[in-house]
Amino acid sequence: MVVLEDDPLGQGGLSDFARRFRAGEISSEQATRAYLSRIELLDPRLGAFQHVAAEQALETARAIDALYSAGTDLGPLMGVPVAVKDLFVVKGMPTTAGTKMNIDDIAGPEGPLVKSLRQAGCVILGKTKTVEFALGITGVSSAQGTPINPWDAQTPRLPGGSSSGSGVAVAAALCAFAIGSDTGGSVRVPAAFNGIFGFKTTPGFFSTVGAFPLAPHLDTPGLLTRSARDAAIAVAALTGEMEARPLPVEALRLGVPQEYFFDNLDPVVEAQIRGAMEALSAAGSRLRPVSVPEASERERYFPAVLPACLVATLGRDRFLAGRDHMDPIVAKRATSGLDVTAADYLTLEAKRTKSRQSVSEKFVGFDGWVTPTTATPPPSVADLDDEQKALELALGMTRNTQPANYFACPAVSVPLPQKPGNLPIGLQIICPEGADLEALSIALAIEDVLGTSEAPDLTNFLS
């Protein structure tokens, strides 16, 4: 009989792990071995990991345990096993950015974010899969494989992308938390689809040095965690900032966008989002309408700018030489970047600059805005067999997330508690540019009111 190791974080999250680690109830090596065992049993079907660095992880875990025994305490993340999206360079591990092309000269050496994980005493278990070059929101990638959403063992469902492997790994408890990146929704959509918490940062909050760039001015490293509480602990440990604390829920002032974000919602999503907003109102939060017509500008901006930036990053010759070996959908999207002129690009960026300025003024009087993260629960993989439906789904998945990138705002996706038989749904909070810690404080308050999501049943995924 196959026995699945218990999740080392259990129900208590990072704070309880830190307590047990210091009490001698669990070691970093024990936690690392448990996660590696879970990866061995579950990942053959889930496909979250691109590379598992078992020996390297165990060696690091033993060193962490020895360091703590010698009297050195590195803080709340000491001994915590984590995973890193295969867009970031980790010394001693391959970096593919989800492609079969050689991109070693682009990614560069290990950057500050990964180094901060090491300095905090984290154990890096390996690299999680990404959509090729992070250019895709569904999570599907023929180049290196598509992870499977752990919430439905009978009907393979989309994990969301491009941080697809990170979302699946956290939801299935194959790591304590994971690093992802978000250029148009690539942290928040996997978070929503996998029933976990996603933190998309303001550009510059975390360094992008040491990560393959899709669109350097839009790329934002972020975290995928079990809860807002875990995210607050991890962010404080990685940045040296004070840990975010929940705002009093009765003091929350939340805007509800009147255009765009609530259009064409799946009835289940609409019902659960409305229910969550009613619960917040009942708890004392003030929800008021806000007009954000600028949100629709993302529809012209992203289809032109992202492909153009990717071609610029790869170089025209390398892209053309390797295009036939790319995922066909990613290749088709990227090819459109060859036709974007400098005038087109500059016009779009000038429009964006004006909209960022006007939108910043609309946050006055609000702590943040509340929206659905996605318009639908996670669709089935088979839904993409129909090309027209696949296009509609892909456009719909980024409808609510891309505006935050367009406005350079931080945003979070809070998982709504599951009702029996329902698939995961995320509640998005968008905050003013630079208000990253405030976004976490709002999320903590919301989590206190709504509760946290249950873990998926993984029994039928055991290999």
Side-chain angles (χ1 to χ4, degrees), residues 137-151:
I137 201 66
T138 64
V140 171
S141 183
S142 63
Q144 297 287 5
T146 301
I148 296 300
N149 193 309
W151 280 92

Side-chain angles (χ1 to χ4, degrees), residues 9 13-22 68 73-82 117 119-122 176-177 229-230 232-241 243:
L9 251 65
L14 288 175
S15 61
D16 191 55
F17 177 85
R19 179 195 63 77
R20 290 187 293 128
F21 176 74
R22 283 156 182 79
Y68 185 75
D73 192 332
L74 298 177
L77 297 185
M78 188 171 189
V80 173
V82 303
L117 291 173
Q119 291 163 358
C122 293
F177 68 87
R229 174 63 60 198
D230 279 1
I233 292 170
V235 167
L238 296 175
T239 63
E241 299 284 345
E243 184 179 324

Side-chain angles (χ1 to χ4, degrees), residues 288-324:
R288 295 186 290 112
V290 60
S291 179
V292 195
E294 296 90 342
S296 65
E297 293 171 15
R298 68 101 195 182
E299 293 181 8
R300 292 188 59 221
Y301 180 85
F302 283 90
V305 170
L306 295 192
C309 286
L310 178 58
V311 171
T313 293
L314 292 172
R316 185 185 184 93
D317 291 344
R318 181 184 347 217
F319 170 66
L320 291 175
R323 179 171 55 178
D324 291 344

Side-chain angles (χ1 to χ4, degrees), residues 115-174:
K115 287 180 179 177
S116 70
L117 291 173
R118 297 191 189 279
Q119 291 163 358
C122 293
V123 176
I124 301 176
L125 296 167
K127 310 283 286 292
T128 50
K129 286 182 181 175
T130 174
V131 174
E132 192 166 14
F133 299 128
L135 189 63
I137 201 66
T138 64
V140 171
S141 183
S142 63
Q144 297 287 5
T146 301
I148 296 300
N149 193 309
W151 280 92
D152 192 341
Q154 306 304 317
T155 303
R157 293 192 176 274
L158 297 174
S162 63
S163 306
S164 51
S166 290
V168 171
V170 173
L174 305 183

Side-chain angles (χ1 to χ4, degrees), residues 412-427:
V412 299
S413 181
V414 181
L416 296 183
Q418 298 299 94
K419 294 183 178 180
N422 280 2
L423 293 167
I425 290 167
L427 179 74

Side-chain angles (χ1 to χ4, degrees), residues 186-197:
S186 291
V187 161
R188 289 159 291 157
V189 172
F193 279 1
N194 289 282
I196 58 175
F197 183 81

Side-chain angles (χ1 to χ4, degrees), residues 271-281 287 416 427 446 449-450:
Q272 291 203 36
I273 294 295
R274 296 293 181 189
M277 292 195 298
E278 289 169 5
L280 291 172
S281 293
L287 279 70
L416 296 183
L427 179 74
I446 291 173
V449 172
L450 301 181

